[in-house]
Amino acid sequence: MSDERLHTDLLGIAMKTPVLTASGTFGFGEEFKDFVDLSRLGGVMVKGTTLLPRRGNDGVRITETPEGMLNCIGLENPGVEHFLDETLPRIQQYGMNVIVNISGSTAEEYGKLAELLDVPGVAAIELNVSCPNVKEGGIVFGTDPEAAAAVVREAKAHTKKPVILKLSPNVTDIVVMAKAVEAAGADAVSLINTLLGMEIDIHRFRPVLGNITGGLSGPCVKPVAVRMVWQVAQAVRIPIIGMGGIASAEDAVEFFLAGASAVAVGTANFTDPEITMKICDGLDTYLAEHGFSSIEEIVGKANPGFLGFRNDVQKG
């Protein structure tokens, strides 16, 4: 299959397909090399990266839920220096677009990470703002428009790479957040991050997860994610990368019709390591069956309020 219909140009990044993998669900890409043609993916959003190595949370960190899972990994990762010195040189052999997801505890940390990652081999930066801001009493960056905007401005000031802001669904109005980060200079938004949830062990009379609460993902969150993409697509003109519960080509099509220019697959990678390839094949079949010559033709097609990022508009 040539994927000609699926070719996508997003943020100046040439992508064979508009199907990416969500951070935290695909390692650094190389873990899936026996199952997936990594160069066929639009991009791999690699495991969340911080300035210093992190060991993550103690206790139970993952539990299965009906149609999904809860996790509280705690951003376990070897740190940005290890990523730059050892991981990035190694994974470049696979010909994939590497998008680095970064987390910090201050806006300045995001800026420092963005600067360190402004190197060849990194296609873009994704800002994970579902983290507490230690300078502001622990408020989560992703729940405060001004804090999220400050992170975007700091990152943009320290890198020439495209900056993607990953929006949290754990807010009263995600549109307010999206407009704030667009105004601050974000090149794109990705949504949604996980929903906050918990599970209680009814026999041991205590929460299952060691961190008590965790991020809920999987098919159960898809209706929420599609709704939020729909709303954000009516409010911003920058590209949207839709994610949340995508487990089939049909799921992905919903996100495109709602206004996403690309999609990222997350939890489904755990149940079927070849799922991204199946989604690419299914998207190509869908476009052919409905008489479309490109994925761009269906972006926002079901959304009457779609403001509209399209490459032809951007070029004009």
Side-chain angles (χ1 to χ4, degrees):
M1 200 169 284
S2 70
D3 288 334
E4 184 178 347
R5 279 179 287 262
L6 300 180
H7 286 183
T8 300
D9 187 297
L10 189 68
L11 305 176
I13 304 167
M15 300 180 176
K16 290 184 180 178
T17 68
V19 178
L20 298 86
T21 58
S23 177
T25 67
F26 209 72
F28 293 103
E30 60 189 344
E31 295 87 342
F32 284 76
K33 62 181 171 51
D34 294 334
F35 305 97
V36 170
D37 177 358
L38 295 169
S39 68
R40 190 185 183 200
L41 294 169
V44 173
M45 293 165 158
V46 300
K47 185 170 178 56
T49 299
T50 52
L51 272 177
L52 300 176
R54 289 182 59 136
R55 66 184 295 269
N57 291 321
D58 294 326
V60 175
R61 303 200 291 187
I62 295 178
T63 183
E64 190 172 354
T65 67
E67 292 296 315
M69 62 178 278
L70 284 164
N71 90 86
C72 60
I73 304 301
L75 295 173
E76 179 182 346
N77 77 99
V80 67
E81 288 188 12
H82 184 278
F83 174 77
L84 289 169
D85 293 343
E86 299 190 31
T87 307
L88 184 59
R90 192 172 65 242
I91 63 178
Q92 285 181 302
Q93 65 180 295
Y94 300 111
M96 59 188 183
N97 291 315
V98 176
I99 299 172
V100 185
N101 177 285
I102 62 174
S103 296
S105 57
T106 65
E108 290 76 17
E109 279 191 24
Y110 284 94
K112 180 64 174 175
L113 281 161
E115 183 176 11
L116 290 169
L117 290 163
D118 192 10
V119 297
V122 173
I125 304 294
E126 183 185 46
L127 308 177
N128 174 13
V129 289
S130 296
C131 310
N133 180 351
V134 298
K135 281 191 173 181
E136 301 295 335
I139 186 173
V140 175
F141 285 106
T143 62
D144 180 86
E146 292 184 10
V151 169
V152 171
R153 285 192 293 268
E154 193 70 21
K156 290 288 292 181
H158 289 86
T159 183
K160 294 182 176 63
K161 304 291 182 183
V163 171
I164 304 162
L165 193 288
K166 189 169 188 176
L167 292 173
S168 169
N170 303 306
V171 294
T172 303
D173 189 346
I174 198 165
V175 168
V176 171
M177 298 298 302
K179 293 174 75 171
V181 299
E182 179 186 40
D187 298 293
V189 288
S190 57
L191 61 148
I192 58 174
N193 207 335
T194 55
L195 289 153
L196 191 61
M198 70 177 292
E199 184 174 52
I200 294 175
D201 186 324
I202 63 172
H203 302 292
R204 301 174 70 193
F205 314 114
R206 63 188 187 192
V208 171
L209 295 175
N211 198 53
I212 301 179
T213 62
L216 177 67
S217 62
C220 58
V221 310
K222 193 194 79 175
V224 176
V226 172
R227 183 263 294 179
M228 289 189 167
V229 167
W230 173 282
Q231 290 177 310
V232 170
Q234 295 180 348
V236 303
R237 295 187 181 277
I238 54 177
I240 295 169
I241 301 172
M243 61 185 74
I246 297 173
S248 67
E250 291 76 13
D251 291 338
V253 168
E254 286 191 56
F255 281 85
F256 289 117
L257 294 175
S261 295
V263 295
V265 180
T267 300
N269 291 306
F270 297 131
T271 57
D272 182 355
E274 298 178 336
I275 189 62
T276 49
M277 299 294 97
K278 295 175 182 177
I279 290 173
C280 289
D281 292 342
L283 285 174
D284 189 65
T285 299
Y286 174 88
L287 292 176
E289 289 179 346
H290 289 78
F292 297 112
S293 60
S294 72
I295 201 76
E296 193 172 5
E297 291 179 45
I298 68 170
V299 173
K301 191 170 180 62
N303 190 341
F306 178 60
L307 276 188
F309 169 84
R310 287 196 177 91
N311 285 321
D312 57 346
V313 174
Q314 193 80 348
K315 289 172 184 174

